[in-house]
Amino acid sequence: VQAVFRSNLSHLLELMGSGKESLIFMKKRTKRLTAQWALAAQRLGQKLGSVWRDQKQILVHIGFLTEESGDVFSPRVLKGGPLGEMVQWADILATLYVLGHGLRITVSLKELQSNLGVPPGRGNCPLTMPLPFDLIYTDYHGLQQMKQHMGLSFKKYSRCRIRVIDTFGTEPAYNHEEYATLHGYRTNWGYWNLNPKQFMTMFPHTPDNSFMGFVSEELNETEKQLIRGGKASNMAVVYGKEASIWEGKDKFLGVLNKYMEIHGTVYYESQRPPEVPAFVKNHGLLPQPEFQQLLRKAKLFIGFGFPYEGPAPLEAIANGCVFLQARFSPPHSSLNHEFFRGKPTSRELFSQHPYAENFIGKPHVWTVDYNNSEEFEAAIKAIMRTQVDPYLPYEYSCEGMLERIHAYIQHQDFCAAPGPVPPGARAPQSPFVLAPNATHLEWAQNASSAPGAWPPAHSLRAWLAAAGRACTDACLDRGLICELQVPCDSTESEMNHLYPAFAQPGRECFLQKEPLLFSCAASSTKYHRLCPCRDFRKGQVALCQDCL
Ligand code: U2F
C-alpha cells in the first residue's frame, strides 16, 4: 500500500492517550505544531514528486513512560525535570503519522503485550509469533521489556525491525556482546548486538548510529521581521530549569549582570530558589510557548555547562538569540563525568552543546573559556554589538525531519544485513576487502558496490586519518560524513573496533572481521584509521546527495 501524507493530526492526538503529565505535554506540543507539520508535508510531497512510499505498520512503545520501568520523568514534567525526551517522542510520533504510516502507541506493558498478541500473564512467551508490525520504535527500557515478553520472536525480529531511540548514542564497541565483555565495554544498558544504525540519536553525534533528531518551531517572514525589531540588546536568558544548574555560578552571573538584564526559567515551589541571585528575573518554569516568546525578546541565551545537548539552544537560535556556552577543557565524557558514567559511549564533549558549536557556530554560537574572565567578558560585549538573524538548520525543521525519516523507512533495511559472526565462522564475503597497496579510490570503488546499497557506492570516498584521529573527525575535515557499515572479510582480519586501520611501524593494514564493530567514533594513537567518508546534503547530514 502507498503511504499518503496526513495533515489533520486529531486522530494522532487520540492515539496518544491521556492522563500522564508527560503525555499532556507531548499532546500540547503536537497540537501547537499541527500547521507547521502540514505545511512541511506539503513541501516534502512536492519535492519527492511521484516517488513510491510504502505504508508501514508501526508500533511505538515508549518504555521510559511505562510504570513498569518506574516512569521517573512524568512526575517531573512540571517541576523542571528533563523535557528533551518528551519533545523528541512527540516529534517522532508526528513524523510517522504525517508520513502516512499505520501507527500504534503504547506506554504500558499491558498495551504492549496486547498489541504484540502476547496473552497477558503469560510472562516469557516461548512461541515465535508472527509480528503484526514492520517496524517498532522504542527505547532501552522498551527493548528490555520486549526481550522479556516476546520470547523467541524477540531474537527473530530485534536485529531487523526494532529501532531504539537513544539520546546520547551507543558506540559499536559497547553494542557487541562478546567484544564488550572481553575489552571492558560492558555497561548496565546492555550489549544487544544490534546493527549500530538501529540506535537513533537526538543529535548527529556519530554516523555509527542513525540521527533521529526532533524539530524546533519555525518562524515565518513576518515573525522574523518582528523579532528583528523587537530584540532587547541587553536581555539574557539563562539555560536551565533546575536550580542546581545555577550553583557556584555567581562570578559569571555577576559579570553578565554588569551588561545585561538576566532572566531565568527556574522551577520553584513557593520560595525563590537560593541558587538564583536576587538580581535575576526568574519567571519560574514556563509553558513551552511562553518560553519561546521570552526567547524572541532576548539577545543572549547563556549556558552554564548543564544540561548537555538539549533542544533549548536550537530553539533560542531559531528565535534569533546568540547562544553563549562554556568550552570544556578537558572534555566531559563517561570517563570523567557522573552524568555520562555508564552510558554506552566514549564520546568526548568539548562544550555543553557540540552540535551548536560544530554545525552552527558563529555568529549564532560562541564557545568560550569561562575560566578566562577577560575572554568571557569580551564575548558578552561583542555579542551585544552583533546583529544575528533567526537560524534553524534544515535537519531540525519539520520538513527536514520528515525527509530524513522517510529516507530511513524506505531505504534502511537491517533485515538483510548480517548479524554478529558466530565464533569460528567466517564473516560473509564482502566487497570491502582492501589490498595492502590499494589507493583510497580503489578502496572506495570496492566499497558498498552491492546493487541497491544505501547509501550508494558513488557517495563514498576513503581517507587515511592522522594517528589519534577518529573517522568522524577525519571525514568532517574534508566536508564529508563517516559511513562505516559495509561487511568485510580477510584472512588477516581481526575483531577490533579500531579496524580497518593502518599502523606506521611495519606498514601493517588491519581489516575488520566483525561487521558490527565498524566504528566511526573510535580512535587510538597506535593507528591511522582508514575512514570511509560519504558526501552529505547541506543541512541534512544523515543523508547522502543521492539518498532520497
Ligand atoms: C536535555 O533535556 P532538557 O529537558 O534539560 O533540555 P532543554 O534543552 O532544557 O529543553 C527541553 C525543552 O524544555 C522547554 C524547551 C525545550 O524544548 O522549550 N522549556 C520549557 O518548556 N519551559 C521552560 O521554562 C524552559 C524550557 C536533553 F534533551 C535530554 O536528553 C538530557 O537527558 C538532559 C540532560 O543532559 O538534557
Side-chain angles (χ1 to χ4, degrees):
V1 184
Q2 161 97 289
V4 179
F5 283 110
R6 298 191 184 103
S7 55
N8 180 342
L9 303 190
S10 47
H11 179 55
L12 171 62
L13 295 172
E14 275 166 39
L15 286 175
M16 287 168 80
S18 56
K20 290 172 185 284
E21 283 303 338
S22 44
L23 293 174
I24 296 172
F25 174 90
M26 288 162 63
K27 285 171 75 170
K28 278 191 194 156
R29 175 176 175 82
T30 305
K31 213 169 162 180
R32 200 170 60 247
L33 294 182
T34 298
Q36 200 171 304
W37 284 114
L39 185 63
Q42 199 189 346
R43 289 197 188 134
L44 181 62
Q46 278 163 5
K47 186 170 179 181
L48 294 178
S50 57
V51 77
W52 176 271
R53 297 189 303 113
D54 256 346
Q55 188 192 44
K56 307 280 185 189
Q57 294 309 316
I58 300 178
L59 172 69
V60 177
H61 177 60
I62 312 178
F64 81 104
L65 292 183
T66 62
E67 298 301 325
E68 290 79 5
S69 77
D71 188 15
V72 291
F73 279 63
S74 298
R76 296 181 60 210
V77 166
L78 299 175
K79 299 191 167 183
L83 296 174
E85 282 76 3
M86 257 73 85
V87 164
Q88 190 183 30
W89 279 104
D91 296 349
I92 293 170
L93 292 173
T95 299
L96 299 173
Y97 189 79
V98 170
L99 285 173
H101 299 292
L103 198 56
R104 286 294 179 86
I105 304 166
T106 57
V107 288
S108 74
L109 194 53
K110 218 170 111 198
E111 294 168 303
L112 173 70
Q113 288 175 317
S114 92
N115 274 283
L116 292 174
V118 180
R122 266 297 273 284
N124 193 347
C125 172
L127 302 171
T128 312
M129 314 218 269
L131 189 67
F133 299 101
D134 303 306
L135 283 168
I136 300 179
Y137 290 80
T138 189
D139 54 17
Y140 264 114
H141 297 284
L143 198 58
Q144 188 66 45
Q145 292 170 348
M146 286 180 205
K147 185 181 175 187
Q148 275 166 9
H149 297 276
M150 278 168 75
L152 293 174
S153 309
F154 183 79
K155 239 192 155 60
K156 183 165 169 202
Y157 297 118
S158 63
R159 286 184 195 144
C160 162
R161 300 200 198 176
I162 292 182
R163 306 289 181 269
V164 184
I165 306 303
D166 170 21
T167 307
F168 299 100
T170 296
E171 288 178 8
Y174 296 80
N175 166 60
H176 190 278
E177 178 171 8
E178 186 192 346
Y179 194 76
T181 308
L182 286 172
H183 300 279
Y185 292 104
R186 280 174 77 136
T187 73
N188 289 337
W189 298 96
Y191 14 80
W192 295 84
N193 285 321
L194 303 187
N195 184 318
K197 292 245 188 233
Q198 286 176 268
F199 294 99
M200 307 189 91
T201 57
M202 188 118 160
F203 288 92
H205 302 305
T206 141
D208 295 320
N209 301 142
S210 298
F211 160 47
M212 167 57 80
F214 57 93
V215 305
S216 179
E217 292 178 47
E218 283 161 72
L219 305 174
N220 61 31
E221 275 313 312
T222 338
E223 287 168 323
K224 281 187 191 165
Q225 278 301 336
L226 273 175
I227 283 191
R228 274 182 210 118
K231 282 271 176 208
S233 65
N234 64 343
M235 176 176 165
V237 176
V238 174
Y239 184 11
K241 332 180 214 67
E242 267 182 8
S244 60
I245 291 160
W246 296 61
E247 242 169 51
K249 303 294 184 284
D250 294 358
K251 198 176 109 197
F252 308 125
L253 288 164
V255 175
L256 183 60
N257 190 44
K258 288 204 296 189
Y259 302 94
M260 299 182 110
E261 183 183 286
I262 308 177
H263 294 245
T265 61
V266 185
Y267 169 74
Y268 63 95
E269 236 137 58
S270 52
Q271 278 169 355
R272 183 183 189 85
E275 295 88 344
V276 180
F279 55 75
V280 172
K281 197 167 170 352
N282 185 24
H283 302 259
L285 182 70
L286 292 176
Q288 247 194 341
E290 287 173 40
F291 179 61
Q292 306 282 330
Q293 291 304 326
L294 188 69
L295 293 174
R296 287 185 187 193
K297 284 186 253 152
K299 176 77 184 176
L300 174 67
F301 190 60
I302 181 168
F304 286 126
F306 194 82
Y308 297 113
E309 311 187 301
L314 288 194
E315 294 168 1
I317 296 161
N319 282 296
C321 298
V322 171
F323 176 49
L324 175 61
Q325 62 166 350
R327 186 178 301 294
F328 292 158
S329 175
H332 296 189
S333 73
S334 49
L335 291 178
N336 63 8
H337 266 258
E338 209 39 56
F339 181 84
F340 285 108
R341 203 178 303 283
K343 291 200 166 45
T345 172
S346 313
R347 191 162 57 90
E348 296 182 309
L349 277 78
F350 288 84
S351 61
Q352 182 176 0
H353 207 296
Y355 178 87
E357 181 185 1
N358 301 321
F359 287 79
I360 303 179
K362 275 186 179 166
H364 308 277
V365 180
W366 294 55
T367 306
V368 308
D369 177 5
Y370 280 21
N371 293 323
N372 179 337
S373 39
E374 279 162 34
E375 194 182 329
F376 179 67
E377 202 159 337
I380 294 169
K381 287 200 249 175
I383 288 167
M384 288 176 76
R385 289 193 304 266
T386 348
Q387 174 70 41
V388 289
D389 278 335
Y391 173 68
L392 180 66
Y394 178 71
E395 56 205 359
Y396 283 96
S397 68
C398 290
E399 187 186 330
M401 182 158 178
L402 287 173
E403 177 186 83
R404 183 170 63 252
I405 308 316
H406 147 74
Y408 290 154
I409 290 178
Q410 303 302 323
H411 299 290
Q412 273 189 336
D413 182 5
F414 306 122
C415 297
V421 185
R426 271 171 59 88
Q429 190 54 46
S430 141
F432 214 72
V433 179
L434 177 69
N437 56 355
T439 66
H440 72 262
L441 270 178
E442 283 167 327
W443 189 63
Q445 278 153 5
N446 279 335
S448 188
S449 58
W454 191 84
H458 60 262
S459 68
L460 299 177
R461 322 253 178 294
W463 294 95
L464 200 56
R469 198 118 177 101
C471 288
T472 307
D473 305 316
C475 291
L476 273 178
D477 289 346
R478 296 170 175 88
L480 298 164
I481 278 294
C482 174
E483 182 73 57
L484 257 178
Q485 57 164 345
V486 194
C488 175
D489 180 31
S490 151
T491 41
E492 300 107 342
S493 65
E494 239 181 76
M495 209 164 93
N496 187 322
H497 73 299
L498 292 159
Y499 297 168
F502 171 80
Q504 197 52 264
R507 291 169 163 267
E508 276 178 289
C509 288
F510 300 97
L511 295 183
Q512 180 60 264
K513 184 175 169 196
E514 170 51 69
L516 289 188
L517 280 177
F518 279 122
S519 170
C520 294
S523 72
S524 154
T525 44
K526 272 164 69 185
Y527 301 107
H528 293 266
R529 299 287 321 278
L530 196 52
C531 301
C533 308
R534 66 160 163 78
D535 60 23
F536 63 95
R537 293 166 165 258
K538 202 166 178 290
Q540 183 72 289
V541 292
L543 304 183
C544 76
Q545 301 283 1
D546 281 340
C547 272
L548 269 184

